[in-house]
Amino acid sequence: MLPSPRLLFAALLCGIVLSGAVLSGPARADSVTLGTSYSGNLRMIVDGGRVTEGGGNIAGSFGIIDGNTINFAALYCVDQFTGASLGATYTTTYNTAGVINGHTLPAAEKIAWLMVNIAPGLTSQAQFQGLQGLIWQLESPANGHTVSFDTNTAYNSPAAIGYFNAYAAALGDNVAPVSSVYWINPLNTQGQYAYQGFVALPAPGQHNQTSVPEPASLALLGVGLVGVALSRRRRRS
């Protein structure tokens, strides 16, 4: 068990690799500030062994995007083995394309459905733990590990296990647009992904307060700007 408020999770290695240049640094001075409380420890089975992880909804988190403050109704980890500290503020990039650490998450549409349809109504620790366990499990084996929520009542509470099973049944084959939520990539001082990848559901009425380009859109924007610059040079010459 790791001491609170430190949350430790595993490096996410999954999905389709996008251009490293697009996500190598922040396009703006955006940030995420994590809340000071989370849902405690839960037990996951990783590659056949039981691992205690801290996770669940990090209450009170908010972001700054293009100078606008966006309060998050719910914020969960999607990157199981990297770390972030409660109450800390990180420079970050946001996207609405389901991209974490340069990879498009294979289960991003399913996670988005859970965040939109399940996360808003949760209020208890067991509910938060059940949803967090399901989000982590959805990323297996694409994250390079075999991961599952431990349904042994000796390790996770019967309530958390019950909620996990209920959310998995409700999810079924449902999906939601990945643009329904924010995908958050905290960065170190070198502009590299270094902490914990998150998915966040904005508070009601706040999702469209600011535009968050998808990584591919950022690349196209760069190409467009280069084209404009070349056109101007030709006219001057």
Side-chain angles (χ1 to χ4, degrees), residues 91-235:
T91 298
T92 190
T93 59
Y94 290 86
N95 70 83
T96 51
V99 175
I100 295 292
N101 193 17
H103 302 265
T104 299
L105 306 185
E109 291 179 320
K110 288 182 173 291
I111 294 172
W113 188 91
L114 290 169
M115 292 296 293
V116 171
N117 294 279
I118 300 296
L122 307 189
T123 58
S124 72
Q125 181 184 47
Q127 290 173 328
F128 299 143
Q129 291 174 335
L131 181 55
Q132 179 67 87
L134 181 55
I135 289 173
W136 281 337
Q137 181 169 302
L138 285 170
E139 288 307 313
S140 173
N143 59 5
H145 300 273
T146 301
V147 178
S148 61
F149 184 69
D150 195 339
T151 56
N152 187 325
T153 55
Y155 299 100
N156 282 316
S157 71
I161 295 169
Y163 287 122
F164 167 85
N165 290 330
Y167 303 153
L171 173 62
D173 295 326
N174 288 311
V175 296
V178 295
S179 59
S180 303
V181 292
Y182 288 134
W183 306 88
I184 304 173
N185 292 265
L187 308 173
N188 60 20
T189 55
Q190 287 74 47
Q192 300 169 330
Y193 177 89
Y195 299 99
Q196 183 139 18
F198 299 101
V199 59
L201 177 69
Q206 295 204 332
H207 187 46
N208 293 319
Q209 282 191 6
T210 185
S211 174
V212 179
E214 297 183 5
S217 300
L218 291 174
L220 291 174
L221 176 61
V223 172
L225 291 175
V226 170
V228 171
L230 291 175
S231 176
R232 287 178 178 173
R233 288 180 183 177
R234 287 171 184 164
R235 291 178 182 175

